[in-house]
């Protein structure tokens, strides 16, 4: 295969992928908050003792919870991206490193178990080679199926080490 | 009342393998480098590492708490991931108010991992921690090793940057 130059990667800017579907369950929202030690009743509900069924309807997704419905997409979807000749952008997924993320909830709706599912779409907003590494910036938008509610806008950056692209 | 320069420091941990497993289950991130010791050794990590999103999640919790204290709403948070967290590490999260503009507090969040290496009493090593046993401090991190006097003795540890983060809180 020929060496890919800077110009080659520009074809991927603006490429959209998804949407990926994630199920939202109240017990998972609560378990996430417990794992990060946040027992604020806004985000967490103690499992009742005995046979009593827990009611998770009052809790919201923690601001950190977006990790669960955006980060997996970085790995899964980037590995599937192909160029105009059908060649994969990512040659070795093992060389991919997730380097940063930002969750933006400005103008977004809170997420609860009543929403049931989140649909996340991704878009490559920047891609360039620097220091023998391929840097990729992705923007994910997480909405309901009808796209009438937005839950989170996520920017994720990653890099592919030499040999990975 | 939120003021520019206001700073809070929170300490979490030590991070345990149980916590890493709990986070893997809760987040659905079951990458074997976090939960499978043999696999992590095979890929030359010399043992499992915590999820980057676990340490960030711990920071997100403190940011969320801080927003509540400020009677505000946390609406933006992020971080650059700079280092690894191992089982046994403590995570120090420092939250600093860097500015306030248009009723929005701009926050810096720095997270460091503190890896205990050994504990000495009267010059004699009385405890060796996993970090030292397994040689988890790399050559280039050796200059980050320092000591602290504790009630149990002199603790030698390495403190390194894990996450460089930020957040925005809308004040009401």
């Amino acid at each position: 295969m020929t060496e890919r130059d800077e110009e080659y990667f520009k074809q991927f800017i603006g490429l959209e992928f998804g949407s990926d579907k994630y199920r939202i369950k109240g017990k998972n929202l609560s378990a996430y908050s417990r794992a990060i030690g946040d027992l604020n009743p806004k985000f967490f509900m103690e499992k009742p003792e005995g046979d009593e069924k827990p009611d998770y309807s009052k809790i919201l997704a923690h601001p950190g919870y977006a990790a669960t419905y955006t980060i997996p997409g970085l790995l899964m979807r980037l590995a599937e991206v192909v160029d105009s000749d059908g060649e994969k952008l990512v040659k070795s997924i093992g060389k991919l490193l997730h380097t940063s993320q930002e969750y933006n909830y400005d103008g977004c709706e809170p997420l609860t178990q009543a929403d049931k599912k989140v649909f996340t779409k991704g878009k490559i907003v920047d891609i360039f080679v620097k220091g023998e590494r391929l840097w990729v910036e992705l923007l994910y938008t997480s909405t309901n199926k009808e796209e009438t509610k937005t839950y989170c806008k996520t920017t994720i950056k990653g890099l592919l080490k030499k040999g990975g692209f | 009342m939120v003021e520019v320069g206001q700073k809070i420091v929170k300490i979490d941990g030590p991070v345990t393998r149980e916590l890493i497993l709990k986070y893997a289950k809760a987040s659905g991130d079951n990458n074997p480098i976090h939960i499978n010791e043999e696999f992590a050794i095979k890929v030359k990590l010399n043992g499992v590492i915590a999820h980057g999103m676990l340490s960030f999640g711990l920071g997100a919790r403190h940011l969320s708490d801080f927003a509540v204290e400020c009677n505000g709403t946390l609406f933006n948070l992020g971080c650059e991931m700079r280092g690894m967290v191992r089982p046994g590490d403590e995570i120090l999260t420092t939250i600093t108010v860097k500015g306030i503009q248009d009723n929005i507090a701009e926050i810096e969040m720095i997270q460091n991992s503190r890896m205990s290496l050994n504990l000495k009493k009267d010059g004699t090593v009385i405890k060796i921690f996993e970090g030292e046993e397994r040689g988890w401090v790399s050559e280039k991190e050796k200059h980050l090793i320092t000591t602290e006097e504790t009630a149990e003795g002199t603790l030698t540890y390495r403190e390194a940057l894990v996450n460089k983060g930020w957040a925005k809180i809308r004040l009401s």
Side-chain angles (χ1 to χ4, degrees):
Chain A
M1 187 175 287
T2 55
E3 189 74 22
R4 293 164 162 180
D5 60 16
E6 189 76 33
E7 204 57 36
Y8 167 84
F9 295 106
K10 285 187 180 165
Q11 66 180 294
F12 298 105
I13 295 177
L15 185 85
E16 292 184 5
F17 42 85
S19 66
D20 292 325
K21 185 170 65 178
Y22 298 90
R23 281 190 78 179
I24 303 300
K25 290 182 176 176
K27 69 170 184 180
N28 294 346
L29 301 182
S30 186
Y32 176 87
S33 297
R34 180 187 274 282
I36 60 164
D38 199 331
L39 306 185
N40 182 339
K42 195 174 164 186
F43 308 119
F44 169 76
M45 197 198 141
E46 193 73 63
K47 218 174 157 183
E49 283 178 23
D51 296 335
E52 198 188 332
K53 253 194 143 184
D55 174 14
Y56 295 109
S57 64
K58 302 279 190 297
I59 63 167
L60 308 177
H62 193 277
Y65 190 75
T68 69
Y69 58 83
T70 54
I71 310 289
L74 170 72
L75 292 166
M76 284 158 57
R77 291 300 188 176
L78 212 54
E80 294 167 6
V81 170
V82 292
D83 66 16
S84 49
D85 295 326
E87 291 283 344
K88 283 194 167 184
L89 163 65
V90 178
K91 290 184 185 172
S92 169
I93 197 71
K95 302 272 184 187
L96 178 66
L97 282 182
H98 166 204
T99 58
S100 78
Q101 71 288 316
E102 179 177 63
Y103 307 133
N104 186 1
Y105 294 100
D106 203 16
C108 293
E109 305 276 340
L111 180 65
T112 71
Q113 71 166 11
D115 294 298
K116 292 184 181 160
K117 285 170 191 160
V118 164
F119 294 79
T120 298
K121 273 186 182 171
K123 183 179 174 181
I124 296 177
V125 292
D126 202 5
I127 184 165
F128 58 92
V129 179
K130 192 180 169 189
E132 297 193 317
R133 292 168 163 191
L134 183 70
W135 297 80
V136 188
E137 182 178 334
L138 303 138
L139 176 67
Y140 284 91
T141 308
S142 302
T143 65
N144 61 354
K145 192 178 181 183
E146 298 76 23
E147 297 186 11
T148 53
K149 286 168 94 175
T150 301
Y151 303 115
C152 186
K153 290 165 275 185
T154 308
T155 302
I156 297 177
K157 292 182 185 175
L159 66 86
L160 278 155
K161 292 187 278 187
K162 200 177 173 185
F165 59 94
Chain B
M1 181 74 179
V2 187
E3 287 175 2
V4 176
Q6 192 174 340
K7 190 178 274 197
I8 55 167
V9 180
K10 299 284 181 181
I11 301 174
D12 291 293
V15 171
T16 60
R17 285 176 171 80
E18 290 72 31
L19 176 63
I20 296 171
L21 273 175
K22 198 191 273 185
Y23 183 82
K25 204 175 161 196
S27 67
D29 183 347
N30 292 302
N31 187 330
I33 61 170
H34 305 303
I35 56 176
N36 184 327
E37 199 65 33
E38 274 179 37
F39 181 87
I41 290 168
K42 212 164 127 185
V43 295
K44 299 186 170 65
L45 279 171
N46 193 12
V48 293
I49 57 170
H51 304 74
M53 299 312 293
L54 167 57
S55 48
F56 179 60
L58 295 168
R61 174 240 170 137
H62 298 308
L63 288 168
S64 173
D65 285 348
F66 186 61
V68 172
E69 283 169 33
C70 303
N71 199 22
T73 307
L74 175 66
F75 70 95
N76 180 292
L77 63 161
C79 81
E80 289 174 5
M81 291 181 286
R82 299 288 184 88
M84 293 190 291
V85 172
R86 297 280 190 178
D89 286 8
E90 285 184 316
I91 299 174
L92 284 76
T93 302
T94 305
I95 290 170
T96 309
V97 179
K98 301 299 279 187
I100 300 172
Q101 204 172 5
D102 298 330
N103 228 25
I104 291 171
E106 305 262 354
I107 310 293
E108 175 191 76
M109 179 181 74
I110 299 295
Q111 291 186 288
N112 287 349
S113 72
R114 182 182 276 204
M115 180 186 288
S116 295
L117 298 171
N118 66 58
L119 186 67
K120 285 182 190 148
K121 186 110 187 172
D122 302 325
T124 306
V125 176
I126 56 168
K127 186 173 181 181
I128 295 177
F129 293 88
E130 193 175 3
E132 181 160 303
E133 258 176 12
R134 301 185 66 170
W136 280 341
V137 179
S138 66
E139 266 317 307
K140 62 179 182 185
E141 282 187 338
K142 290 260 162 80
H143 70 285
L144 301 172
I145 294 174
T146 187
T147 58
E148 181 183 84
E149 292 307 319
T150 70
E152 292 81 31
T154 307
L155 177 70
T156 301
Y157 64 93
R158 181 237 53 190
E159 190 171 318
L161 179 65
V162 174
N163 290 324
K164 195 175 175 196
W166 59 89
K168 289 179 185 173
I169 295 173
R170 185 171 289 111
L171 306 169
S172 47

